[in-house]
Structures are given as structure tokens and as C-alpha cells.
């Protein structure tokens, strides 16, 4: 499996970046037509994922240390946009006051924490499968920043899976659950197969499927494509 990951890493990341750009464009177009809040949130999250994939893919050709600010923005976009998964759950479950306000408050706190984590993370160049990227330096990055990063990675997806089960039962719509589950599964696949060094790549499959199924959820819930 390691040989496959090494050989496929760069070309597949480019494919994922292009597909995420397509989903981003479709989401923006659909939001303009439908004013769907879930679609708008999907577009915001997809933008962050597309930017992440694009910058990493470019690391196959350029040295990221030449413009570290561009790589820093990968972490900033992750910290600010991934918490938007919570409002997706709010609108999927049609939560009313006070629960929607509470979850929006939690989202705001996580976005501030995510921004602080992105700024505090110490970065250095790591090269894997011919791709140079800026990554967090273990033992140098503050532990609180590493904790927030873990919360953003798993603490947002697990509640999304729970919300997905709820709407699957209530609305007969499985796509939100599949969105969260596939993201969780691919994030865990790297360490589970002894390829933790490729988690940045393997998790991209989950990220692509997450936003794709999130969009399918909105389409099915609202019973229209546009």
C-alpha cells in the first residue's frame, strides 16, 4: 500500500484539487439560485479544502519555504472554516432557539481557537513522495495548539455523524451521515494501515467525499438541484 501511496500521491492530489474546484463552483452557483444556507456553508468549507489541496500539489514543483505565508494560510483556512460543520448540522436538523444559538456560539469559539492554533503552529518543510509541504513541528508547536488541531479534525466530524444519524431517521436522508463517516474513516485509515505519514494525502479522499455528500444532502433535503 505504501508504494501505491507514494506513486499516486501527487497526481491524485491534483485530481482532488480540480474536483473540489468543480464542487466549489457548483455550490456557489446553487447558492445563488436557491439561497440554501447548507450549500453556502458547503461552498465555504470546500474553498478551504481546495486551497489546501492546491498548495500541497504545488509543493511537487516549488519549495514552500520560499513563501511560508501562503502555507500558513492553509492552517488559517482550516481553523476558520472546519468549525462551519456545526452550522451545517444546525440547519440539517432544523434546530430552533436556544440550541441553534448555542451551537453558533460554540462555532464562533472554535473559529477563534482555530485561528489562534494556526498562528501558533510552528511549521517546517516536510518532503514525502516528492511533495514538499509545510507541516506542524512536533515538540515545538505548543501542546494546546496540537489539542485544538485534533479537536477540529475529529471533534467536528463525530457530532456531524451523530446529526447524520438523526436526519437519516427523521428525513430518510443518509447523505449527511455518509459525509461525516467517510471523512472520519479516511482520517483513521492512514494510522490504521501503518501509513500515518500519508494522512495528509489519504484524508483528502475523505474531504472530497465529505463535501460531495454534504452537497447531495442539501439537494435531497431541498428536493431540487438549482
Amino acid at each position: 500500500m505504501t508504494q501505491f501511496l507514494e506513486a499516486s500521491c501527487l497526481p491524485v492530489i491534483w485530481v482532488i484539487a480540480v474536483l473540489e474546484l468543480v464542487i466549489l463552483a457548483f455550490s456557489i452557483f446553487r447558492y445563488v439560485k436557491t439561497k440554501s444556507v447548507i450549500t453556502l456553508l458547503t461552498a465555504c468549507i470546500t474553498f478551504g479544502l481546495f486551497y489546501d489541496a492546491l498548495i500541497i500539489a504545488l509543493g511537487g514543483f516549488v519549495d514552500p519555504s520560499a513563501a511560508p505565508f501562503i502555507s500558513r494560510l492553509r492552517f488559517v483556512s482550516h481553523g476558520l472554516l472546519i468549525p462551519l460543520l456545526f452550522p451545517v448540522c444546525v440547519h440539517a436538523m432544523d434546530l430552533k432557539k436556544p440550541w441553534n444559538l448555542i451551537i453558533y456560539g460554540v462555532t464562533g469559539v472554535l473559529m477563534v481557537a482555530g485561528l489562534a492554533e494556526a498562528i501558533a503552529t510552528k511549521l517546517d518543510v516536510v518532503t514525502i513522495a516528492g511533495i514538499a509541504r509545510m507541516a506542524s513541528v512536533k515538540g515545538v508547536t505548543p501542546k494546546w495548539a496540537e489539542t485544538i488541531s485534533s479537536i477540529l479534525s475529529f471533534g467536528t466530524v463525530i457530532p456531524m455523524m451523530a446529526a447524520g444519524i438523526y436526519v437519516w431517521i427523521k428525513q430518510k436522508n443518509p447523505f449527511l451521515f455518509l459525509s461525516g463517516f467517510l471523512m472520519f474513516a479516511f482520517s483513521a485509515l492512514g494510522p490504521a494501515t501503518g501509513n500515518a505519514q500519508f494522512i495528509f494525502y489519504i484524508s483528502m479522499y475523505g474531504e472530497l467525499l465529505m463535501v460531495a455528500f454534504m452537497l447531495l444532502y442539501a439537494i435531497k433535503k431541498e428536493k431540487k438541484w438549482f
Side-chain angles (χ1 to χ4, degrees), residues 48-101:
L49 297 178
F50 163 69
Y51 180 80
D52 180 74
L54 177 63
I55 298 305
I56 290 178
L58 288 173
F61 305 96
V62 297
D63 182 359
S65 64
F69 178 73
I70 293 176
S71 292
R72 177 75 63 182
L73 287 178
R74 287 178 44 229
F75 293 82
V76 170
S77 65
H78 181 269
L80 288 176
L81 297 177
I82 292 302
L84 295 181
L85 292 174
F86 282 116
V88 169
C89 296
V90 167
H91 290 278
M93 299 171 69
D94 298 315
L95 293 180
K96 307 300 181 184
K97 294 180 180 179
W99 295 109
N100 58 349
L101 296 179

Side-chain angles (χ1 to χ4, degrees), residues 106-162:
V106 170
T107 301
V109 170
L110 284 177
M111 292 175 74
V112 172
L115 177 61
E117 172 262 327
I119 295 172
T121 297
K122 304 302 180 183
L123 302 178
D124 198 5
V125 178
V126 175
T127 301
I128 297 177
I131 299 176
R133 63 190 177 89
M134 302 293 284
S136 174
V137 181
K138 298 291 184 183
V140 179
T141 295
K143 290 192 177 297
W144 65 263
E146 293 180 350
T147 300
I148 291 173
S149 179
S150 299
I151 291 172
L152 292 178
S153 297
F154 294 99
T156 52
V157 175
I158 293 174
M160 186 179 177
M161 291 169 59

Side-chain angles (χ1 to χ4, degrees), residues 4-224:
F4 167 77
L5 293 173
E6 289 178 346
S8 65
C9 192
L10 184 58
V12 170
I13 290 176
W14 275 110
V15 171
I16 289 174
V18 170
L19 291 176
E20 288 175 344
L21 181 60
V22 171
I23 292 174
L24 174 60
F26 180 83
S27 298
I28 293 172
F29 180 76
R30 185 175 192 273
Y31 172 71
V32 170
K33 293 291 185 179
T34 65
K35 299 300 184 290
S36 164
V37 177
I38 294 177
T39 301
L40 175 61
L41 293 168
T42 301
C44 292
I45 294 167
T46 304
F47 171 77
L49 297 178
F50 163 69
Y51 180 80
D52 180 74
L54 177 63
I55 298 305
I56 290 178
L58 288 173
F61 305 96
V62 297
D63 182 359
S65 64
F69 178 73
I70 293 176
S71 292
R72 177 75 63 182
L73 287 178
R74 287 178 44 229
F75 293 82
V76 170
S77 65
H78 181 269
L80 288 176
L81 297 177
I82 292 302
L84 295 181
L85 292 174
F86 282 116
V88 169
C89 296
V90 167
H91 290 278
M93 299 171 69
D94 298 315
L95 293 180
K96 307 300 181 184
K97 294 180 180 179
W99 295 109
N100 58 349
L101 296 179
I102 291 172
I103 295 178
Y104 269 109
V106 170
T107 301
V109 170
L110 284 177
M111 292 175 74
V112 172
L115 177 61
E117 172 262 327
I119 295 172
T121 297
K122 304 302 180 183
L123 302 178
D124 198 5
V125 178
V126 175
T127 301
I128 297 177
I131 299 176
R133 63 190 177 89
M134 302 293 284
S136 174
V137 181
K138 298 291 184 183
V140 179
T141 295
K143 290 192 177 297
W144 65 263
E146 293 180 350
T147 300
I148 291 173
S149 179
S150 299
I151 291 172
L152 292 178
S153 297
F154 294 99
T156 52
V157 175
I158 293 174
M160 186 179 177
M161 291 169 59
I165 293 173
Y166 176 85
V167 299
W168 191 352
I169 294 170
K170 292 290 185 179
Q171 303 169 10
K172 304 298 185 288
N173 189 340
F175 291 128
L176 187 66
F177 171 76
L178 290 172
S179 176
F181 173 75
L182 290 169
M183 181 67 251
F184 179 84
F186 277 97
S187 295
L189 187 59
T193 59
N195 290 286
Q197 71 274 26
F198 284 101
I199 191 171
F200 76 98
Y201 164 46
I202 298 173
S203 63
M204 286 186 182
Y205 289 90
E207 292 167 352
L208 175 64
L209 292 170
M210 179 180 72
V211 292
F213 278 105
M214 200 183 304
L215 192 55
L216 287 173
Y217 170 78
I219 290 169
K220 181 174 175 60
K221 175 180 170 64
E222 295 154 9
K223 297 182 172 60
K224 57 183 178 182

